[in-house]
Amino acid sequence: VNEQYASLVGLTPAEAAVDGWQKALHPDDRQRVTAEWNSAVAAGQSFRSEYRFLDRDNITFWVLGQAVPVRNDAGEVTSYVGTITGIDDFIQFERAQRNLNLELTSRIRERTNELNRADLSLREQIQERKQLLEDLVQSQARWKSVVEDAPDYILLVDRQGTVIYINRTVSPLQKSDVEGKTLFEFVP
């Protein structure tokens, strides 16, 4: 165990040797990391794990621990050579990215709901207007049928006295001779 590692975890090199490093593990990670380490050693395999250490001041920091077995000529594991890499910045970035993703997902969900509500409202308005238009067309058709078949002359005149509609005319006049003219232009 080198002094830089021991200093990093807040132990003396003698304390960090063998399994003393486990004392510096964060309590929430200790059982998991110890089990991963023991499993790798029992199988003679490499070890790799992300976990937290607590230094002497109880400050938590994240590391990536890696170790590979060193074998003798017979292929037996004689020791492990490992590295500890500080990954606090990476973990903080990862957390910030996850929080941003959650916020973005929430905003997208909220905006999608707003758009869905607006879409539903517009569809309802469109349906109402279609119904109103259909009702208007039917009403106009009924009105025209009643007016066209009326035995009397029916005129619609605007404020300036211009005929905008006449249901029938007397020969030789045609509707086109009357509509768009004032009453004084075709009545003697």
Side-chain angles (χ1 to χ4, degrees):
V1 174
N2 70 32
E3 286 186 33
Q4 186 175 5
Y5 164 73
S7 174
L8 177 70
V9 296
L11 300 172
T12 66
E15 291 172 322
V18 189
D19 63 355
W21 63 275
Q22 294 172 344
K23 293 177 187 172
L25 285 171
H26 189 283
D28 294 342
D29 295 344
R30 189 172 293 137
Q31 185 177 357
R32 174 184 59 84
V33 175
T34 299
E36 290 172 358
W37 172 254
N38 290 337
S39 176
V41 169
Q45 295 177 339
S46 295
F47 168 82
R48 178 184 170 97
S49 187
E50 291 179 2
Y51 48 91
R52 293 168 290 177
F53 274 131
L54 281 174
D55 67 13
R56 286 188 191 269
D57 298 323
N58 280 330
I59 295 174
T60 301
F61 59 97
W62 280 91
V63 297
L64 169 63
Q66 301 179 92
V68 293
V70 176
R71 300 180 187 277
N72 62 18
D73 291 340
E76 300 166 329
V77 176
T78 59
S79 63
Y80 275 82
V81 174
T83 62
I84 298 291
T85 306
I87 58 170
D88 258 347
D89 290 342
F90 174 75
I91 295 295
Q92 288 174 9
F93 172 78
E94 198 174 54
R95 283 183 182 160
Q97 186 177 21
R98 185 173 34 251
N99 289 339
L100 286 173
N101 285 341
L102 290 173
E103 175 66 22
L104 182 58
T105 300
S106 174
R107 286 183 182 188
I108 289 171
R109 187 177 300 117
E110 184 179 306
R111 184 65 179 138
T112 299
N113 289 338
E114 288 173 9
L115 291 172
N116 285 338
R117 286 190 298 272
D119 180 60
L120 178 61
S121 176
L122 287 173
R123 288 176 187 271
E124 288 171 352
Q125 289 176 27
I126 289 169
Q127 190 60 38
E128 287 173 14
R129 289 181 183 184
K130 283 181 178 179
Q131 186 61 50
L132 287 172
L133 180 60
E134 185 178 319
D135 292 348
L136 179 61
V137 168
Q138 288 175 1
S139 176
Q140 286 176 333
R142 283 190 302 270
W143 179 83
K144 191 170 185 179
S145 172
V146 168
V147 170
E148 291 288 331
D149 295 338
D152 297 320
Y153 291 100
I154 299 175
L155 297 164
L156 289 178
V157 180
D158 66 15
R159 291 180 184 210
Q160 289 77 32
T162 304
V163 176
I164 54 175
Y165 174 81
I166 187 167
N167 68 331
R168 66 178 70 223
T169 57
V170 177
S171 188
L173 294 174
Q174 301 292 320
K175 284 185 175 188
S176 60
D177 295 329
V178 177
E179 291 177 339
K181 299 193 168 84
T182 65
L183 290 174
F184 302 110
E185 293 179 81
F186 68 91
V187 174

